[in-house]
Amino acid sequence: MLKILNIVGARPNFMKVAPLHRAFEQHPEIESKIVHTGQHFDAKMSDVFFEQLQMPKPHYFLGVGGGSHTEVTARTMIEFEKVILAEQPDLVLVVGDVNATLACTLVAIKLHIPVAHVEAGLRSGDRKMPEELNRILTDSVSDFLFITEQSGIDNLRHEGVPAEKVFFVGNVMIDSLVHYLEKAKQTPVLTELGLAKDEFVVMTMHRPANVDTAEGLGAILTIIENTVPHKKVVFPIHPRTANNLKNVGLWEKIQAIEGLVLTEPQGYLEFLQLMQNASVIVTDSGGIQEETTFLKVPCLTFRDSTERPVTVELGTNQLLADLNPQTVHQKLMEILSGKAKQGIVPPLWDGKTSERIAQILVDKLA
């Protein structure tokens, strides 16, 4: 029996582990268990995803909670070590680039447990991003590196990683999207928010570089004010962003913008329904770049670099280096006037990545 511990920490991890756990359960030789570190501890950011993605209740909930990067990483390592010693797994599987990814990798490797990293090899080139450091360090010690796009192969080769550790399998995030696309269409979110297809723009903003300064928050407000005369703006607001708006005295102002639909964080199915019906997505997220590329919905990403370059090279994503309202307005008007960038779906983004990963692990370890 091949015992695998799958790590979920923050919101994007759930959509990646759900299809993997489902694929593992199709193999009688695999025992798959889920460890939730609790990095996202808000029910709206966590529990709803387990319910909607039909994941079983986590076998372990570490209850790490929030705090600084150091605090979260340290608490996760301490609690996860107890799980490993109790379970004695054959493999620890981590996804993405959150603090839980690195923390659990370090614990496993030091206890001589092999690690598989899903979404390996992605690089933004910006080492000031905590996620970039998490990616680099996790990849440097993992035994199985599962790649979503060609840049991952190129980056790992450049870093001297042995080719036999690297497997180009596709994108598990797209597995979830394909699996739940029809179910998402049945959610009443459009009706509840008074929206119709192609009549609105979706915005998400949560990265510190964009929402931790009064200047950045002011630019976000201006972008919204410039957009609402043309399209409604739907803004599921991240708790960090909401708190910062309140702290700098802009909360009342943003609430007063006519044509802005301000909501709490949406469930996975609801947000998927919003994305596939939007005219354009305005974001600073990583995963949304991939989902919009698959859905062929235009995406403007407020980053000066991306660890997912295939979304720009082949997909519908465009990078904007800063929150310049004038530049954003120009780009939005181009898209809304029918001049949106046309994209294609990248290789192996077919909804079957988890099955490929499960088969590789069975072949190599079972």
Side-chain angles (χ1 to χ4, degrees), residues 203-205 211 216-225 228 233-238 241-263:
M203 171 181 274
T204 77
M205 288 285 164
V211 305
L217 293 167
I220 290 170
L221 256 69
T222 303
I223 290 165
I224 294 169
E225 289 169 339
V228 289
V233 175
V234 182
F235 191 1
I237 194 157
H238 191 282
T241 309
N243 288 336
N244 289 347
L245 283 164
K246 290 168 186 172
N247 291 339
V248 299
L250 290 175
W251 185 243
E252 287 75 19
K253 187 173 181 182
I254 196 169
Q255 285 183 306
I257 298 175
E258 195 171 334
L260 172 63
V261 181
L262 204 58
T263 78

Side-chain angles (χ1 to χ4, degrees), residues 164-184:
E164 59 267 23
K165 288 186 174 187
V166 178
F167 303 87
F168 183 26
V169 291
N171 194 331
V172 290
M173 195 81 152
I174 304 305
D175 288 15
S176 274
L177 192 154
V178 169
H179 189 79
Y180 291 105
L181 204 52
E182 288 306 313
K183 192 175 180 184

Side-chain angles (χ1 to χ4, degrees), residues 283-296:
T283 188
D284 58 8
S285 163
I288 288 174
Q289 301 170 54
E290 297 176 324
E291 292 167 321
T292 50
T293 280
F294 183 86
L295 295 169
K296 298 187 178 177

Side-chain angles (χ1 to χ4, degrees), residues 7 9-10 12-13 16 39 69 73 94-103 105 117-124 129-139 206-207 285-287 289-290 303 306-308:
I7 310 303
N13 295 169
K16 298 165 189 174
Q39 186 174 324
H69 290 286
T73 303
V94 297
V95 297
D97 52 24
V98 299
N99 290 324
T101 304
L102 176 60
T105 296
H117 184 204
V118 176
E119 285 194 340
L122 299 179
R123 300 288 182 268
S124 68
M129 290 175 63
E131 297 90 347
E132 181 79 348
L133 297 176
N134 291 343
R135 287 188 284 262
I136 293 168
L137 295 170
T138 299
D139 285 344
H206 74 283
R207 289 192 180 272
S285 163
Q289 301 170 54
E290 297 176 324
R303 306 259 300 271
T306 178
E307 64 283 358
R308 295 165 167 89

Side-chain angles (χ1 to χ4, degrees), residues 102-116:
L102 176 60
C104 294
T105 296
L106 292 175
V107 173
I109 290 297
K110 290 193 173 190
L111 293 173
H112 311 296
I113 308 295
V115 173

Side-chain angles (χ1 to χ4, degrees), residues 30-48:
I30 295 180
E31 180 185 4
S32 176
K33 292 192 173 184
I34 296 171
V35 179
H36 186 349
T37 70
Q39 186 174 324
H40 272 175
F41 50 96
D42 184 297
K44 291 186 182 66
M45 304 288 277
S46 178
D47 293 355
V48 68

